[in-house]
Structure formats: structure tokens, C-alpha cells
Amino acid sequence: MLPNLITKTITLEDGREITIETGALAKQADGAVVVRMGKAMLLATVVSKKEAGEGVDFLPMSVDYQEKFAASGKIPGGFLKREGRLSDYEILISRIVDRAIRPIFPDDYHADTQIAITLMSSDEDVLPDALAGLAASAALAVSDIPFNGPISEVRVAKIDGKLVINPSPIALEKASLEFIVAGSLDFILMVEGEADEIQEDEMVEAMQFAHEEIKRHCQAQIELTKEVGKEVKREYNHEKSDPALFDKMRAELYDKLYDVVSRQIPNKSERSALVKEIKDAFVESLGEEHEFEASLIGPYFGKIHKEAARNLTLDEKKRLDGRKLNEVRPIWSVVDYLPSAHGSAVFTRGETQSVTTCTLGTKMDEMMIDGATISGYNKFYLHYNFPGFSTGEVKPNRGPGRREVGHGNLAMRALKKVLPAPEDNPYTIRIVSDILESNGSSSMATVCAGSLAMMDAGIQIKAPVTGIAMGMISDSKTGKYSILSDILGDEDHLGDMDFKVTGTSKGITACQMDLKVEGLDYAVLKEALYQAKEGRLHILDEITKTLAAPKTDLKPHTPRSFQMMIPKELIGAVIGPGGKVIQEMQKDTETTIVIEEIDNQGKIMVFSANQKNMDAAIARIKAIVAQPEIGETYTGKVKNIQPFGAFVEFMPGKDGLLHISEIKWERVETMDGVLEPGEEIQVKLIDVDKRTGKFKLSRKALLPKPEKKAEDKK
């Protein structure tokens, strides 16, 4: 007997349909849906415990997006042949969903919650990441878990000057902008994407266009909730409360905390120390035995501190470190800091610092991608590292976490827009950003340092890219708001918006926005974007004082490259049987040689930091691929001797017959003692047999013809 399915359909402008189905799969989860578009199918499930853990004062939620290899008819690589830890691509999609979903949960909901989104069937014309947020929200919508949704996510792109929703991968290749936008019926929640140096107004237009589609997705989920009968959500009580304690703390501590934040101390450690003194003094004043709930002191203290800091900015337009609202912290930078790196830079802005390297490699250094729906190679990639000491913490090194993957991806998207065209860049480029200090926006420091490192390495980027993190503090009751440029870590924590924008002097290349407050007016958003532009251009002025344009040459120790095209049929001659020829060349000349077939031709790239070695490798390749010309003279080596002549290798891999009659002008009766195997001789190519392609050589043609004797003339 078939289950009772409940289905909702959303029709896009171009006629494509998205369906949300519930009631068939994973019925023991609190909520489960299948979202379909074309042949693509995503199963989203959500489970949340009824009670919160002891002492938990946050939402312990995990979001995992995973693609099954069977979804696209593939078997996983590797030894185990099964899906393992999430790939970076899956982590990035998980983060996008998490950042959109997390803010819509009630602030006092602290139960363990898990959202799992699985791609069960793929479609080459459908990008599943644009459906993952809708699937997660729909799973919550058909559950009894409290949340302030629904929400949805869509991809908006501008293709041939027209904005479109959820384009196909092929169409997306021509896009001048591409953003994933998340939102509810009433407001935008999250934006992330990249663009070809667009203007601020164009970005706002794309977000508004996306929001109109999102509203339709949300309305479909509201109707689905009603049909499923999940309009009433579960009751919960996850927070202890002690109003008397809060009132006492606010009365005693607010003015003290306001006094500390109003001192506008630039140093984070000094500010933190003064705040800690106030908290410690209050705890000590209570004595060992007191009537209040001790576990609430920390959260209440943080709440009062946050209120004081926010009011300082809203009422007096002042910031914690003394800067103006649109002021960027002091900047210093240097390039060529690491003498052995191909390119390096140090970028420091306030108490945030990145040391970034640029390494140039060959095609063999490309990053291989082997996913369920995506496979191929990357010639440009960026790795971001965030060690514990950068914030003065003791933290074990367990490899990159989701935050590191996300921050590195944002910086990579910002910088890849200014890379030289593929035909102008033979290198694989790896950027590595090591954050040595962090107090706000280390990903944007990575963008700035990455630009400098590439220019220091001699990569001819189109223009330097800089980035800035914007924040906002707002009060919906009074309508007051303050937009902050280059936010501190503390301002990120106490603010309502984290908005990172990167770009060149011409326009925006990437952005990432997370909202923590409902209802950001588009006029305010536009104001924030233009204030960000002002900050970006200021930072650009600062880094161009260090290095204004790419260096005209590579470092002496950087591999130089040489590129040549050869006929397709000669690729095998250069490689040799089992790779013998090319391997010997690389070993003898200490070079790296890469061959690939492109457009029915062979493309050869030679890499070496030593010009003499490179010249030797190039000469050997040219000798192999050179076409024999009748009438040309060659230095050949005798390979073997036959009664009728000798076979001579006159070019690499090319043997010709030196007939006994072509050795000298005088008659040669026998080959005995005339030539020896391995002997080098000069020969001339006199003919090529049109039927067999065999080469005919002559030695006597290069020797002076003896004059006839007098008796011969008679």
C-alpha cells in the first residue's frame, strides 16, 4: 500500500518545476521531505531532542550536506570505495544552509538538533546546492520543531544581461554575477557569491530579484505545514531564569561596563582585562553562599556588556577602539618577506595579520576533484589556516575545520576573478594564508595579502583585490542604526550584520553576508555597500603603496616555463615507449615536462628554474619533433651495419639507410672496416621513399668529388 504523500509544486518563470514531497521516506525523523527538480532529488531530515543539555546556553545544531556517488552512477575512488568525510564542496554547502537556518531558531532554543541533506539522485542540468536550503527549511516546516521560518535559498545569476533563478551549470559559465541568496517572506538572511567587478546597485538588484522568488518558496512551505497539520510546534523550556539576579547585575554593572567601553581602548587584551575585573569583583561580592543561580552569571554578564557596547555606538556613534564609524584600522604590509617562496606578503590591519605565500607549479600540481557530481582539476586554489595562537588560545591542530574551509573559499572566489587568461598563465597557483593574529576579518586580510603575494610572484593579475568586513548595530524599536567599517571581533559578536565585500577599483568580485536581525531595509543595505566601497578603496590605496602592480619578472628560483605546440601524431615520439623518452629527458635535464592533447594538437610545457637546463630540454624536444627535410645535413650515429650499407639515426627516433654506394665516391666493395656501430658521421638526406616513407642518406654528397685522372679523360 502506497503511503499518503503530500506534495507542493513551485513553478519557476521558465516553466521548470520544484516539488516538495513528504510522507514517504524517513518517517521516524521529526521532519523529512524530498525536494525534486528534474532528475535531481534531495532528502532532507531533521531531528531535535526534546530537552536541552545541562548548562547549554546556545543552539547545538549540525547541518550536513552529502552527495551519494550512486546519485550520478559513480563508484567512489580510494581504497574503501565508500563515501567518507565530507568534501570541501559539501562542507561549503552545509555552511550556507547552516548560516541561513540558524538565525531563524528562537534565541532560547538549546536542544541538540541535526539537519541531514542527502543528494540521492543528480541531474547534470540542476545544481543541487541551490535546493539544499529549501529542503532543510521544508523538513523543519513539516516537523513540530519550533522555528521562525520558513526560509529558502536560490541562486541568482546575470546571464547575457538578464537575471535568472537557478540556471544550469552550462548557462552559469557565462554569468557576470552569481549569488546564493537566502531569505524569509520578509527579509534577506544570507548572501554569498562572486561577480565580474560589478557595481553596488547591480548587486542590490540581484538580491531583490532573488527575494521575490524566495517569497514564493516560503508561501508553498506555509501551505505544506497546514496540510501536514504541524502548525502547532512543541513546547519547551531550555533556559533557566533568575529575574532578581539579572536586575541586580544590571543595576550594579551596566554603568561600570558602559564606562569601560566608552574609554575606547584600542587594545583588545586591555579591554578584556578591564571587563574581566568587573565580572570577578561582582562574583566575589556575592560570597561563596548566595541565593542566585551561579550558571546564569556568565550569560547575564555577557548580555549586559553587549547592551552597553551597542548603546555606545547607537547613542554616541562611538566604537570600542575609538575609531569613527567608517574608519579603517592602521595598515602596514610588505612583500618578498620569505626569500625562498615564489611570492610572499605580510598584511596587517590593526590586530589582524596574515602571512601569505604564492607558489607556482606545473600541471601535475593541479588539484584533482573527484566528487559525486563534480570532477576535474583546479589550477588555482587557496588554503587558509587559523592556528590557536592567533587569538592567544591553546588549541590542538586537528586540520582545517569548516570555518577555515569557508573563509578560504571566500578569499579564493575574490581573487580568481583577476587571474590572467588560461592561455597567458601556464602555472598552477597555490595561495596559502596563515593567520598570525586575529581580531576581526582575517578572511579579508587573506584577500589583501593574496593580491600582494601574487603580484610579488610575478603573476600578471588584472588588478589588485582588497576586502573589508562591515557590521551594523540597529534598534528596531527606535529605528536607530550604525554601519561599521572594518569590524573588530567584539563588534562582530555584538552586531546584527557581518557583511564582507571584496573587489577591485572597478567593482565587486565577491561577497558574503550574514544577518542576525530581522528586516534589513534595502536602502540601508545600499548604504552599507557604498560605505564598504569607500573602505575597500582606502585599503587599495594602502597596499599599492607597497606594490602597485605585478612584478615584471619571476623570482630567480621560480620555475620558468616554455610552451610549444606539436602535431598530434608526434606526441608518442616525445613520450616514448612506456614514457621512456620523456622520463630520460626530465632526468638528464632536471626539468619538468608536461604533454597534453588540446584541440587535436600536442601542447608541451617545460618548467625549470635553470635556463641552461630548459634550453637543453627544448633542444631535445625540437630534435624529436623536427621534420626531416631533403637536402639538409645531419649529424648521425651508426646504429647497425649490413652488407648493403648502414642504418644511421640522423634525428631522434629517425633512422635512414646509408647505402654502400653512398658512403664515398670511390667504389666500396665490402662494409668490413668502413664504419663502426656508434660512430658519428655527417650525412645528407637525399630522398624519402614516397611509398614506404623510408629515408635515404648520403655521405659522399658531403665529400668533394674527386677529379678524373688524365688517362680517364682520354
Side-chain angles (χ1 to χ4, degrees):
M1 179 177 170
L2 291 174
N4 181 28
L5 298 182
I6 299 175
T7 303
K8 278 298 180 187
T9 301
I10 303 165
T11 305
L12 302 181
E13 283 188 357
D14 59 5
R16 291 177 299 162
E17 292 185 343
I18 301 172
T19 62
I20 310 171
E21 173 189 290
T22 189
L25 304 182
K27 289 190 286 185
Q28 293 189 47
D30 289 329
V33 298
V34 172
V35 172
R36 300 172 185 250
M37 184 174 178
K39 293 185 291 184
M41 295 173 60
L42 285 82
L43 169 67
T45 62
V46 58
V47 177
S48 186
K49 291 184 177 180
K50 299 293 191 295
E51 301 297 333
E54 185 66 30
V56 176
D57 61 353
F58 63 96
L59 174 62
M61 182 179 73
S62 63
V63 178
D64 293 316
Y65 170 85
Q66 187 174 41
E67 297 183 344
K68 297 295 185 182
F69 276 74
S72 54
K74 295 173 66 176
I75 294 175
F79 180 75
L80 296 177
K81 298 297 181 185
R82 67 178 298 167
E83 290 81 2
R85 66 177 294 274
L86 299 186
S87 67
D88 284 1
Y89 172 71
E90 291 167 323
I91 287 171
L92 292 170
I93 298 174
S94 300
R95 275 176 52 85
I96 285 175
V97 176
D98 189 303
R99 286 161 42 209
I101 289 285
R102 191 174 293 273
I104 67 172
F105 277 86
D107 291 339
D108 59 352
Y109 190 79
H110 305 320
D112 272 331
T113 302
Q114 184 177 40
I115 297 174
I117 309 156
T118 305
L119 179 68
M120 304 182 73
S121 175
S122 69
D123 186 327
E124 62 182 13
D125 292 325
V126 177
L127 288 166
D129 57 345
L131 303 174
L134 168 62
S137 176
L140 284 166
V142 299
S143 76
D144 68 343
I145 299 170
F147 83 119
N148 300 320
I151 63 103
S152 187
E153 291 177 347
V154 299
R155 173 177 274 105
V156 58
K158 180 170 278 189
I159 301 170
D160 297 328
K162 182 181 179 182
L163 290 170
V164 295
I165 297 294
N166 293 355
S168 69
I170 294 176
L172 195 61
E173 292 176 2
K174 301 186 295 180
S176 60
L177 68 82
E178 177 225 331
F179 299 123
I180 291 282
V181 181
S184 67
L185 270 174
D186 302 315
F187 54 89
I188 295 292
L189 283 163
M190 188 278 306
V191 181
E192 179 161 330
E194 59 190 62
D196 295 337
E197 299 176 287
I198 64 168
Q199 300 306 303
E200 283 69 15
D201 287 353
E202 195 173 355
M203 180 176 169
V204 174
E205 178 191 17
M207 292 168 61
Q208 289 176 308
F209 184 82
H211 195 200
E212 291 305 310
E213 182 64 34
I214 287 169
K215 291 177 183 178
R216 298 172 60 238
H217 294 196
C218 292
Q219 190 58 50
Q221 291 178 71
I222 291 170
E223 295 170 6
L224 183 65
T225 300
K226 291 179 180 177
E227 291 189 34
V228 174
K230 293 292 184 180
E231 295 171 274
V232 178
K233 303 299 181 179
R234 71 177 64 159
E235 295 183 0
Y236 66 95
N237 183 13
H238 294 167
E239 283 192 351
K240 296 178 181 178
S241 63
D242 191 335
L245 174 62
F246 181 78
D247 291 343
K248 175 181 175 62
M249 289 182 67
R250 195 183 186 287
E252 292 186 21
L253 303 180
Y254 178 83
D255 290 341
K256 294 177 182 179
L257 288 169
Y258 193 89
D259 176 64
V260 169
V261 297
S262 63
R263 295 184 199 178
Q264 300 181 288
I265 301 168
N267 186 277
K268 178 176 71 171
S269 298
E270 292 180 22
R271 286 198 308 271
S272 298
L274 290 173
V275 170
K276 186 175 183 299
E277 284 180 14
I278 295 173
K279 181 181 178 181
D280 291 346
F282 176 78
V283 171
E284 188 176 344
S285 71
L286 293 177
E288 292 186 5
E289 295 184 6
H290 55 80
E291 58 186 291
F292 302 113
E293 176 59 55
S295 65
L296 295 176
I297 292 176
Y300 284 171
F301 185 85
K303 186 175 181 180
I304 297 165
H305 181 211
K306 182 176 180 178
E307 181 187 1
R310 286 172 61 89
N311 287 342
L312 174 74
T313 302
L314 285 172
D315 298 336
E316 301 187 41
K317 302 299 180 184
K318 293 180 180 179
R319 300 176 67 172
L320 295 177
D321 61 352
R323 284 180 292 148
K324 298 176 183 177
L325 299 186
N326 65 344
E327 186 178 350
V328 177
R329 288 170 288 177
I331 292 169
W332 68 266
S333 59
V334 295
V335 296
D336 200 16
Y337 184 74
L338 303 173
S340 295
H342 295 162
S344 63
V346 180
F347 177 85
T348 306
R349 185 194 59 244
E351 295 176 297
T352 296
Q353 183 178 73
S354 169
V355 172
T356 295
T357 57
C358 174
T359 305
L360 308 185
T362 69
K363 181 175 177 60
M364 290 184 287
D365 296 307
E366 292 179 358
M367 178 188 289
M368 185 176 72
I369 303 169
D370 182 24
T373 58
I374 299 176
S375 59
Y377 294 87
N378 273 347
K379 283 189 67 175
F380 176 71
Y381 46 95
L382 187 150
H383 293 143
Y384 166 100
N385 300 313
F386 193 85
F389 66 77
S390 65
T391 53
E393 297 175 279
V394 177
K395 187 173 69 174
N397 183 8
R398 301 287 187 237
R402 292 192 176 193
R403 179 183 179 277
E404 284 87 343
V405 172
H407 279 38
N409 181 69
L410 175 61
M412 182 275 294
R413 298 180 85 166
L415 293 171
K416 77 174 185 179
K417 291 296 182 179
V418 296
L419 291 175
E423 59 270 20
D424 298 327
N425 174 44
Y427 295 104
T428 294
I429 302 173
R430 182 189 184 219
I431 307 293
V432 178
S433 172
D434 289 298
I435 303 303
L436 305 189
E437 290 184 63
S438 180
N439 184 12
S441 192
S442 53
S443 63
M444 297 297 95
T446 296
V447 172
C448 300
S451 285
L452 288 170
M454 283 199 291
M455 292 195 293
D456 180 52
I459 296 297
Q460 302 302 304
I461 60 174
K462 299 171 187 175
V465 182
T466 56
I468 190 169
M470 307 296 294
M472 183 181 71
I473 297 173
S474 63
D475 186 340
S476 58
K477 296 178 182 177
T478 63
K480 293 180 181 179
Y481 68 90
S482 295
I483 299 171
L484 312 178
S485 296
D486 180 26
I487 56 174
L488 302 169
D490 289 342
E491 289 173 330
D492 183 13
H493 173 69
L494 62 88
D496 301 316
M497 178 179 75
D498 179 13
F499 193 1
K500 299 180 178 73
V501 192
T502 73
T504 66
S505 59
K506 291 183 179 179
I508 295 169
T509 60
C511 78
Q512 183 183 92
M513 182 179 77
D514 293 295
L515 282 174
K516 309 168 192 174
V517 65
E518 297 183 5
L520 176 63
D521 186 88
Y522 282 108
V524 177
L525 175 60
K526 198 175 286 188
E527 182 182 342
L529 277 169
Y530 278 100
Q531 189 169 316
K533 180 179 182 179
E534 174 190 314
R536 282 194 296 106
L537 296 179
H538 166 75
I539 297 170
L540 183 62
D541 287 341
E542 291 298 311
I543 71 166
T544 51
K545 292 176 184 176
T546 300
L547 188 60
K551 292 183 176 179
T552 55
D553 196 12
L554 307 174
K555 301 286 177 65
H557 53 280
T558 301
R560 266 55 177 174
S561 68
F562 176 84
Q563 179 176 308
M564 62 187 295
M565 305 300 292
I566 64 172
K568 176 183 175 181
E569 57 270 18
L570 294 178
I571 294 176
V574 177
I575 296 174
K580 180 180 179 182
V581 174
I582 193 170
Q583 289 171 11
E584 284 184 355
M585 273 195 292
Q586 292 182 104
K587 181 180 178 181
D588 294 344
T589 62
E590 297 180 355
T591 59
T592 299
I593 304 171
V594 179
I595 304 178
E596 58 182 330
E597 185 181 329
I598 296 178
D599 297 330
N600 214 30
Q601 283 187 297
K603 179 181 178 182
I604 300 180
M605 289 178 287
V606 183
F607 298 89
S608 176
N610 183 297
Q611 190 62 47
K612 183 180 178 181
N613 290 347
M614 177 175 282
D615 291 341
I618 293 169
R620 289 177 66 165
I621 294 170
K622 286 184 174 180
I624 294 172
V625 302
Q627 296 299 303
E629 295 183 26
I630 295 175
E632 284 295 314
T633 300
Y634 301 94
T635 298
K637 182 181 288 187
V638 177
K639 301 294 286 185
N640 63 71
I641 297 173
Q642 299 292 331
F644 51 83
F647 286 97
V648 179
E649 185 181 38
F650 66 98
M651 292 179 66
K654 294 180 174 61
D655 295 348
L657 174 63
L658 176 62
H659 193 267
I660 191 170
S661 63
E662 293 292 337
I663 293 177
K664 57 174 74 172
W665 288 102
E666 294 80 13
R667 181 179 176 85
V668 179
E669 298 292 343
T670 176
M671 291 297 296
D672 292 342
V674 177
L675 296 172
E676 296 292 334
E679 182 181 348
E680 287 191 352
I681 59 174
Q682 293 287 309
V683 293
K684 184 176 183 178
L685 178 61
I686 57 174
D687 195 15
V688 180
D689 190 301
K690 294 180 180 179
R691 185 174 60 86
T692 63
K694 293 182 178 180
F695 302 107
K696 298 180 180 180
L697 306 174
S698 175
R699 187 188 184 202
K700 74 178 186 181
L702 301 175
L703 301 173
K705 188 175 183 180
E707 294 185 9
K708 291 184 178 181
K709 296 179 181 180
E711 56 268 23
D712 292 338
K713 295 179 181 179
K714 293 180 181 181

